[in-house]
Amino acid sequence: MTQERGAEQGFVSFRNVNKAYAALTVIRDLNLDVARGEFLTLLGPSGSGKTTSLMMLAGFEHPTSGTISLDGRVISNVPPHRRGIGVVFQNYALFPHMSILDNIKYPLRARGMRSRDCTQDAMRALAMVRLEALAHRTPAQLSGGQQQRVAVARALVFKPSLVLMDEPLGALDKQLREQLQDEIKSIHRETGVTVVYVTHDQSEALTMSDRVAVFDKGRIAQISTPAELYKSPLSSFVASFLGESNLLDAELLDGGPGGNTIRLADGSVRTVPGREIARPAAVQLLVRPEHLELSSPSQGEGYVALIRDFAYHGDHLRVKVFNPTLGTLIAKLQVGSTQDLPCIGGETLVHWRDSDSVVVRRVGDDEA
């Protein structure tokens, strides 16, 4: 089949893509560009559309409407095996009756490569994930982490320009997951391959990605760098999905180039720097827990609150406080800075700098 030359600008492009199953629409007017060599993560809750988008890119699902392009060519109707894309699944998808070496050689043999060349390339791929000594074992003789390394090597062995990863670390324990995160990022830097990665793990998305696309109900709620998403989310959904958040109800009084002026529930008025939000708009004030400060009620201005609970996390103390007007707030305090805090049930003064807060659009549960 002759492939059409697309007009999209990205190495990978989705244009006006919709996906529906009967009356249920799971992807709504998706427009997305991925640059060559980029590590893009699709992040969102279950049912948000991130995995469906990845499966359409792989060719395992077909868009109801719209086009998907790879390197300028429309691939919406190209079968998966002709797209030249490497795929890594959460369940590894290794052949149990084959050795590790033969598992990695399989994509090369399917492409008609000579046996000797297959073996050489497969061993180089195994060396990349530091498993060449286990080449002749079967998958059942490897740990979960080792099997996932094999799956990564198999996806890369035929040198694809694009690799898709569908929650590849979801079944691993925390320590092993963090170790493999580092390894995958290192491989990405060394090979320069374009990676589209799906996860619902916030920290995984923040630590691994060049950019993150946050999905909500079949649409991209926001796409940006991890730092920008964390520091300047556009909505309460993005704010609450990326890291822990204190979201305070607020009324938008004015918006301008210098920031947004709001009134909190206690009547206090604050001008917060950041992206201008035009009235009318339902908004909330975001203050990350690490930006909340606690002090003695006699030490200046702030909001008097009761300390409800402590939790020790090694490098920080998570403190839950309650103010009758603002509600429950969470503060993260560095261990060593908490000597003067009163005990549970005692009063404390809560305060923060306006420059450490962000006004975000309020998104209700029924909004897409």
Side-chain angles (χ1 to χ4, degrees), residues 13-166:
S13 289
F14 290 76
R15 283 293 175 268
N16 306 314
V17 171
N18 293 275
K19 177 63 178 178
Y21 298 98
L24 177 63
T25 300
V26 295
I27 299 295
R28 305 168 186 270
D29 197 28
L30 176 61
N31 288 281
L32 173 65
D33 288 313
V34 185
R36 187 186 296 273
E38 182 176 15
F39 194 120
L40 176 75
T41 293
L42 311 184
L43 175 70
S46 297
S48 61
K50 57 189 187 298
T51 296
T52 300
S53 299
L54 192 82
M55 292 299 101
M56 287 192 293
L57 182 53
F60 303 132
E61 295 282 356
H62 299 286
T64 303
S65 61
T67 59
I68 302 173
S69 300
L70 176 62
D71 199 14
R73 296 188 180 276
V74 175
I75 60 170
S76 305
N77 295 314
V78 176
H81 66 277
R82 294 186 58 193
R83 297 191 181 194
I85 296 173
V87 183
V88 181
F89 298 102
Q90 181 177 346
N91 65 355
Y92 319 138
L94 301 178
F95 296 113
H97 63 288
M98 291 184 182
S99 70
I100 298 309
L101 181 61
D102 285 339
N103 263 278
I104 295 177
K105 288 164 64 174
Y106 184 83
L108 302 176
R109 287 175 170 169
R111 287 164 173 79
M113 182 179 286
R114 293 186 311 170
S115 178
R116 179 181 297 179
D117 294 336
C118 283
T119 300
Q120 291 175 348
D121 284 4
M123 288 304 295
R124 276 194 291 267
L126 272 175
M128 183 170 55
V129 294
R130 303 195 307 279
L131 289 178
E132 58 267 42
L134 306 181
H136 298 291
R137 293 190 183 183
T138 62
Q141 295 173 308
L142 302 187
S143 68
Q146 289 170 334
Q147 289 184 56
Q148 195 56 282
R149 286 189 179 96
V150 173
V152 170
R154 186 178 61 182
L156 292 168
V157 69
F158 63 97
K159 299 176 183 176
S161 56
L162 174 64
V163 172
L164 311 180
M165 298 189 179
D166 185 20

Side-chain angles (χ1 to χ4, degrees), residues 222-224 228-229 231-235 252 254-261 272-278 357-361:
Q222 188 174 352
I223 180 169
S224 192
E228 179 71 12
L229 283 174
K231 294 177 182 177
S232 302
L234 295 178
S235 68
L252 180 63
D254 192 22
N260 300 290
T261 301
V272 180
R275 186 184 294 107
E276 177 182 354
I277 299 177
S357 60
V358 182
V359 178
V360 298
R361 293 182 180 274

Side-chain angles (χ1 to χ4, degrees), residues 216-289:
D216 181 29
K217 298 175 183 172
R219 293 191 176 101
I220 294 179
Q222 188 174 352
I223 180 169
S224 192
T225 63
E228 179 71 12
L229 283 174
Y230 186 80
K231 294 177 182 177
S232 302
L234 295 178
S235 68
S236 56
F237 171 79
V238 176
S240 59
F241 199 78
L242 276 167
E244 199 165 22
S245 306
N246 294 301
L247 288 165
L248 310 179
D249 290 337
E251 177 188 0
L252 180 63
L253 301 178
D254 192 22
N260 300 290
T261 301
I262 59 169
R263 180 186 291 117
L264 294 178
D266 71 326
S268 60
V269 175
R270 308 181 77 119
T271 298
V272 180
R275 186 184 294 107
E276 177 182 354
I277 299 177
R279 297 179 63 198
V283 299
Q284 290 181 298
L285 182 67
L286 165 67
V287 187
R288 295 290 186 187

